[in-house]
Amino acid sequence: MQVKGGKGTKYSWILSTDGVVCYKNPTAFQTLTNLWEAGELSTWHDADLAKATKKINTILGDLEKKNKDSKRKLSFVQFQNRHFLVWANYGFVGPDDDDATIEKTLRLKQK
């Protein structure tokens, strides 16, 4: 499943025997890669930080291009307030998914 980094959708993660798997969760301990780039420089995001951000995004973009598995997405997961770069898989369904997805996954009988 490809996941888009749209506004409002938050994910968390678990480590399974199949690797890191992300699922919808309001705690948001998973972030799709690519850092925000500033539209203009400021005292809190100067030229050095802007240059570093651009370089990091280029490296991450190159990694994504080399990805041979369309079921995974380059992501940052958070643990103890630090980020770790992983190939994340998706597909687990949990209580924070929409009702239709849960009903379909659980194969619930419609009323």
Side-chain angles (χ1 to χ4, degrees):
M1 169 190 293
Q2 284 293 7
V3 175
K4 297 180 181 177
K7 286 185 181 179
T9 304
K10 297 178 181 180
Y11 294 88
S12 196
W13 62 276
I14 60 169
L15 180 60
S16 76
T17 55
D18 296 324
V20 175
V21 181
C22 295
Y23 60 95
K24 286 184 184 179
N25 187 302
T27 57
F29 289 112
Q30 182 264 350
T31 307
L32 299 176
T33 57
N34 285 347
L35 303 173
W36 280 104
E37 292 187 34
E40 61 184 68
L41 300 179
S42 62
T43 56
W44 60 88
H45 193 83
D46 60 16
D48 289 334
L49 291 181
K51 184 177 178 181
T53 300
K54 191 172 232 28
K55 284 183 181 181
I56 292 166
N57 280 341
T58 298
I59 292 167
L60 296 174
D62 290 345
L63 287 169
E64 278 283 3
K65 289 176 191 172
K66 293 177 185 176
N67 181 13
K68 303 289 188 224
D69 185 349
S70 64
K71 295 179 184 175
R72 66 184 192 177
K73 181 85 175 144
L74 190 60
S75 302
F76 291 108
V77 294
Q78 184 181 341
F79 175 68
Q80 293 183 349
N81 211 25
R82 292 172 60 190
H83 289 89
F84 184 56
L85 191 59
V86 301
W87 289 112
N89 294 293
Y90 298 82
F92 276 122
V93 174
D96 294 305
D97 281 289
D98 62 272
D99 289 350
T101 299
I102 294 169
E103 289 169 4
K104 180 179 177 184
T105 304
L106 294 176
R107 299 180 181 136
L108 298 177
K109 183 177 178 180
Q110 298 298 314
K111 292 181 181 180

